[in-house]
């Protein structure tokens, strides 16, 4: 369709063999189990086109729903890139994570990260199961930037944190508070 396959490796004991992960062909079924959200950090990646998404420090859900763009294939390519990245940094092999077309659980620096598109906002939500998520967020940003730079060049992406029920704040604003 649009070159949606991502090269990965399948591990069988001590042996590995190259394979092609095609996230768009994964089942639609919801995951059987999700991780507990205690001690988890939620981060939202908001792809958009055009003028700057945030004109201050915060943005509303309605604004995200109106301005963001999650084109077909972006989430799938991002999941493929995250799986490939997890495999390349893993020692001694890596089993495929639980995945559907709308959910993936990957390991980033020994921590589990759940990825899912939020269709009503047209963003990608990452639930990071770690107490200090800063380095993990940077690795996720790099993977998403790579996908956008190679396949979706017209997009820009902002990294947001939920502040209240319908308000999100830019990650840079939070970083500035601690620097």
């Amino acid at each position: 369709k649009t070159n949606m396959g991502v090269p990965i490796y399948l591990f069988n004991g001590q042996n590995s063999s190259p394979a092609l992960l095609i996230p768009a062909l994964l089942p639609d079924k919801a995951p059987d189990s999700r991780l507990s959200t205690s001690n988890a950090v939620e981060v939202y990646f908001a792809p958009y086109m055009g003028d700057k998404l945030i004109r201050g420090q915060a943005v509303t859900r309605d604004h995200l729903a109106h301005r963001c763009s999650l084109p077909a294939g972006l989430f799938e390519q991002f999941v493929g890139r995250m799986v490939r990245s997890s495999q390349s940094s893993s020692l001694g092999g890596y089993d495929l994570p639980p995945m559907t077309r709308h959910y993936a659980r990957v390991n980033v620096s020994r921590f589990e990260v759940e990825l899912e598109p939020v269709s009503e906002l047209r963003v990608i939500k990452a639930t990071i199961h770690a107490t200090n998520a800063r380095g993990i967020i940077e690795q996720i940003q790099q993977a998403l930037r790579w996908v956008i730079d190679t396949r979706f060049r017209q997009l820009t992406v902002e990294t947001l944190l939920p502040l209240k029920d319908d308000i999100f704040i830019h990650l840079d604003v939070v970083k500035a508070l601690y620097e």
Side-chain angles (χ1 to χ4, degrees):
K1 196 167 155 181
T2 54
N3 193 15
M4 300 307 282
V6 178
I8 60 169
Y9 291 96
L10 296 177
F11 294 93
N12 183 6
Q14 299 288 5
N15 303 323
S16 68
S17 58
L20 198 58
L21 173 65
I22 304 174
L25 296 179
L26 290 169
D28 251 347
K29 180 179 169 249
D32 292 333
S33 64
R34 294 190 179 218
L35 300 173
S36 165
T37 56
S38 63
N39 296 325
V41 176
E42 285 185 359
V43 181
Y44 292 79
F45 299 94
Y48 66 96
M49 292 186 282
D51 294 337
K52 193 164 178 64
L53 179 66
I54 301 176
R55 296 206 185 276
Q57 296 180 345
V59 65
T60 64
R61 290 179 74 83
D62 290 341
H63 189 71
L64 290 178
H66 178 72
R67 284 291 317 281
C68 290
S69 174
L70 192 58
L74 176 61
F75 179 72
E76 291 85 352
Q77 281 292 310
F78 174 54
V79 166
R81 184 68 182 180
M82 291 298 297
V83 169
R84 178 65 185 220
S85 177
S86 294
Q87 285 188 322
S88 65
S89 64
S90 175
L91 300 174
Y94 179 85
D95 292 328
L96 284 179
M99 286 189 286
T100 69
R101 290 177 72 190
H102 307 288
Y103 174 86
R105 186 185 313 157
V106 297
N107 289 317
V108 179
S109 298
R110 301 181 338 264
F111 296 102
E112 289 192 286
V113 176
E114 294 176 286
L115 303 169
E116 54 194 313
V118 182
S119 57
E120 64 272 9
L121 300 179
R122 296 184 278 186
V123 300
I124 297 172
K125 175 182 164 184
T127 305
I128 303 167
H129 298 273
T131 53
N132 183 354
R134 187 172 183 172
I136 297 167
I137 293 170
E138 290 171 3
Q139 289 179 51
I140 295 169
Q141 287 172 317
Q142 286 175 352
L144 186 54
R145 252 187 249 113
W146 184 90
V147 171
I148 287 173
D149 289 347
T150 58
R151 302 199 185 260
F152 300 91
R153 291 186 183 110
Q154 73 280 13
L155 292 177
T156 304
V157 67
E158 299 286 347
T159 305
L160 308 171
L161 299 171
L163 186 61
K164 289 186 176 183
D165 291 339
D166 63 344
I167 307 274
F168 296 83
I169 191 166
H170 197 283
L171 178 64
D172 291 342
V173 172
V174 175
K175 281 182 179 178
L177 293 174
Y178 292 97
E179 293 177 351

